Amino acid sequence: MKKYLIFSTIAMLFFLFGCEEEHAFRLHTAPEYYQGRATLPSGQQIEMTESDRTNVLDACYPEDAIIQVPDGERQLIGTVTLTQPLITTSSTDVFPTATFFEVDNQAFVQCQADTITYVKQIDTLPNSLIPYRDQAVPSPKTSKLRNAQPHERIHFTEEMAKPVGNEPYPKRSAFEQTLVHVTMPFNGSFEFTFESPESRETITLPIDEASRQPFLSLGLGTEVTQDAKQYGLHLSPNQTLYEDVLRPKDASFDRMLGARQASALPTTLIPNERYPLFSFSFIRDGKPYKQVVSVTYRDETLLHGDRLKMKMRQQFAHRRHVVTHDLALLGTESKDAPFLHHANAETVQFVFQAIDRSKAVATAGNPAPIPYLTVFEGICAQTFDVSYKEDDVFLTNTLTGSHFKLLRSDAERWHDLFNKQEG
């Protein structure tokens, strides 16, 4: 697929995702700046082509999101995660995470962007996933709870005795009688409530690509280091190591007294119902405490219509980035590539304002020492050729060849900002 052959299919994304087409701006969705990888239910990972990345962005266009998924068994095919390596940081959320599934041979996609979740019915899957359609696995709509067998409880204590983390390894121990297995439904979240007469705290565990496993094993465990003693819910998708931990804010203790499983555990977790799992007692600062740990399954709330569009605008309208670069971008470079120069927040704001104020002209100048400028907004991008003629600054749309001249005051500041960088 040619690099820019996507204007007609998803042009309306400009408005919905904060990509404004005004004056010099002709921002467009840019799969060439994304990388994509699909994770199959087996754990196998597949790199997505640019055409597939376009299909994912198109599939997650938020028009026609449905209110609820039809009844029937969901067949999970794969989850695609898109990243923008040129601008992604540890604090930047990627968009979108798209989970493809079928109900009664009809294809659907569930799109997740930060706290936003919506589902659409689609005509076809991304080409890279089609060969794996027959390997889809059923994913339950509801969550079930199963008490651990005696041999599984022993295995839990053995796994918790193994070292994890960094040296010096904490000493871990397990309360085997608290171990349970929870089947993981297709979406939603689990809330674990730690409650005592003095306090109540809820910790949420969302069901996403990382946690979408057939089941999750969890039980109460402790970790003791030279500096602290802490309790928590130790989790494992495969009954090994139990290194993932959920803790309340104050999980410290001086001495653990014991734990007891709830007298009756449900087999099915009805959405929004809270069920006690176990209780435990400990001493802290010379005082006895008792905590009751409960679980609640929350079904996913699917957004649609005007509320979805408003949420998407709020999330993506102000996500901006500016890069100047010596070489044309391929989209696959690391953000740390030596020919890339990332603008700070103040400069980003100025560049967008200067482009917005620029005026169309018939000609441009001579190529600048750093001849390219690429701006990102939301999921959209646009590249300009940068040129100078004496003190004037010109930006040329690399797709259309249209030239734009900055206002004189903006040109002066441009030289102050970028000539130092180019020197």
Side-chain angles (χ1 to χ4, degrees):
M1 181 178 184
K2 292 186 178 180
K3 192 172 184 180
Y4 299 108
L5 192 60
I6 56 175
F7 286 94
S8 61
T9 58
I10 39 181
M12 285 186 67
L13 278 166
F14 298 168
F15 172 71
L16 292 172
F17 293 113
C19 306
E20 300 177 358
E21 184 175 350
E22 182 179 4
H23 302 298
F25 278 122
R26 292 183 180 271
L27 288 139
H28 59 91
T29 50
E32 67 273 15
Y33 295 136
Y34 278 95
Q35 289 180 351
R37 178 174 293 177
T39 301
L40 304 181
S42 64
Q44 179 182 352
Q45 294 189 332
I46 303 168
E47 295 296 328
M48 306 297 283
T49 65
E50 183 174 317
S51 175
D52 283 333
R53 299 194 297 270
T54 301
N55 288 340
V56 171
L57 289 170
D58 197 11
C60 284
Y61 167 61
E63 192 71 26
D64 300 324
I66 62 178
I67 298 176
Q68 63 182 22
V69 179
D71 290 333
E73 187 174 69
R74 304 182 189 190
Q75 296 289 327
L76 175 61
I77 299 171
T79 298
V80 177
T81 300
L82 298 183
T83 59
Q84 288 179 302
L86 283 168
I87 62 174
T88 297
T89 65
S90 58
S91 61
T92 302
D93 294 316
V94 296
F95 173 81
T97 297
T99 300
F100 293 88
F101 65 99
E102 291 184 333
V103 177
D104 295 333
N105 295 318
Q106 173 59 56
F108 296 85
V109 61
Q110 176 175 288
C111 303
Q112 290 178 286
D114 196 16
T115 59
I116 298 171
T117 301
Y118 54 103
V119 173
K120 291 182 57 182
Q121 182 175 326
I122 56 176
D123 294 327
T124 186
L125 300 169
N127 290 333
S128 297
L129 288 179
I130 290 176
Y132 302 94
R133 196 171 190 171
D134 294 338
Q135 300 179 24
V137 299
S139 183
K141 185 177 180 180
T142 58
S143 179
K144 295 185 179 298
L145 192 67
R146 179 174 71 82
N147 203 353
Q149 298 297 311
H151 71 277
E152 293 172 324
R153 292 180 173 182
I154 294 173
H155 184 67
F156 176 38
T157 62
E158 292 172 346
E159 291 297 304
M160 284 289 289
K162 295 178 180 179
V164 298
N166 300 317
E167 295 188 54
Y169 300 114
K171 182 180 179 181
R172 306 193 306 162
S173 61
F175 289 85
E176 61 179 64
Q177 66 272 28
T178 65
L179 183 66
V180 294
H181 308 299
V182 180
T183 58
M184 302 294 282
F186 184 80
N187 57 13
S189 62
F190 291 104
E191 293 180 354
F192 295 99
T193 302
F194 292 76
E195 188 171 14
S196 70
E198 296 81 16
S199 64
R200 176 177 172 177
E201 182 176 345
T202 296
I203 303 173
T204 300
L205 179 68
I207 300 171
D208 53 22
E209 181 195 2
S211 62
R212 194 177 282 120
Q213 304 289 339
F215 67 91
L216 187 70
S217 302
L218 58 96
L220 178 67
T222 63
E223 288 183 335
V224 177
T225 65
Q226 291 181 342
D227 301 323
K229 297 179 180 180
Q230 292 185 299
Y231 62 81
L233 275 179
H234 287 253
L235 316 175
S236 175
N238 52 17
Q239 297 190 62
T240 60
L241 285 186
Y242 292 88
E243 54 187 328
D244 294 327
V245 189
L246 298 179
R247 306 186 197 278
K249 293 177 182 177
D250 189 356
S252 64
F253 68 93
D254 298 327
R255 183 161 59 97
M256 192 64 63
L257 300 178
R260 176 181 295 179
Q261 192 177 67
S263 57
L265 294 178
T267 55
T268 299
L269 299 181
I270 299 173
N272 304 319
E273 293 288 332
R274 189 154 65 98
Y275 300 95
L277 292 176
F278 59 85
S279 61
F280 64 100
S281 302
F282 59 92
I283 301 293
R284 180 196 294 150
D285 298 330
K287 291 178 57 178
Y289 290 86
K290 181 180 179 179
Q291 293 269 357
V292 177
V293 179
S294 304
V295 62
T296 306
Y297 169 62
R298 302 286 187 191
D299 203 356
E300 194 70 72
T301 300
L302 300 180
L303 294 177
H304 62 286
D306 291 340
R307 186 182 175 204
L308 170 60
K309 296 172 187 177
M310 179 187 68
K311 292 282 188 181
M312 297 298 277
R313 289 194 203 102
Q314 291 173 346
Q315 185 172 133
F316 288 96
H318 304 293
R319 193 172 293 181
R320 291 175 168 180
H321 197 85
V322 169
V323 179
T324 56
H325 41 108
D326 305 279
L327 305 174
L329 295 179
L330 297 177
T332 56
E333 292 94 357
S334 164
K335 64 182 178 66
D336 299 321
F339 64 88
L340 295 173
H341 312 275
H342 300 270
N344 60 32
E346 182 180 355
T347 301
V348 168
Q349 182 179 6
F350 161 71
V351 168
F352 272 84
Q353 291 172 345
I355 293 174
D356 194 44
R357 290 189 288 255
S358 65
K359 304 298 181 183
V361 293
T363 61
N366 300 312
I370 298 180
Y372 301 108
L373 169 79
T374 298
V375 297
F376 296 86
E377 184 173 31
I379 65 169
C380 302
Q382 183 176 352
T383 296
F384 296 93
D385 296 329
V386 183
S387 60
Y388 299 154
K389 186 175 181 181
E390 296 180 349
D391 292 333
D392 291 328
V393 177
F394 299 88
L395 301 177
T396 300
N397 187 316
T398 57
L399 297 184
T400 65
S402 300
H403 309 298
F404 299 87
K405 180 181 176 181
L406 300 193
L407 299 181
R408 182 173 296 277
S409 59
D410 289 334
E412 291 175 356
R413 187 175 178 193
W414 183 283
H415 284 297
D416 288 339
L417 288 170
F418 294 108
N419 279 347
K420 294 178 183 178
Q421 173 180 286
E422 295 162 3

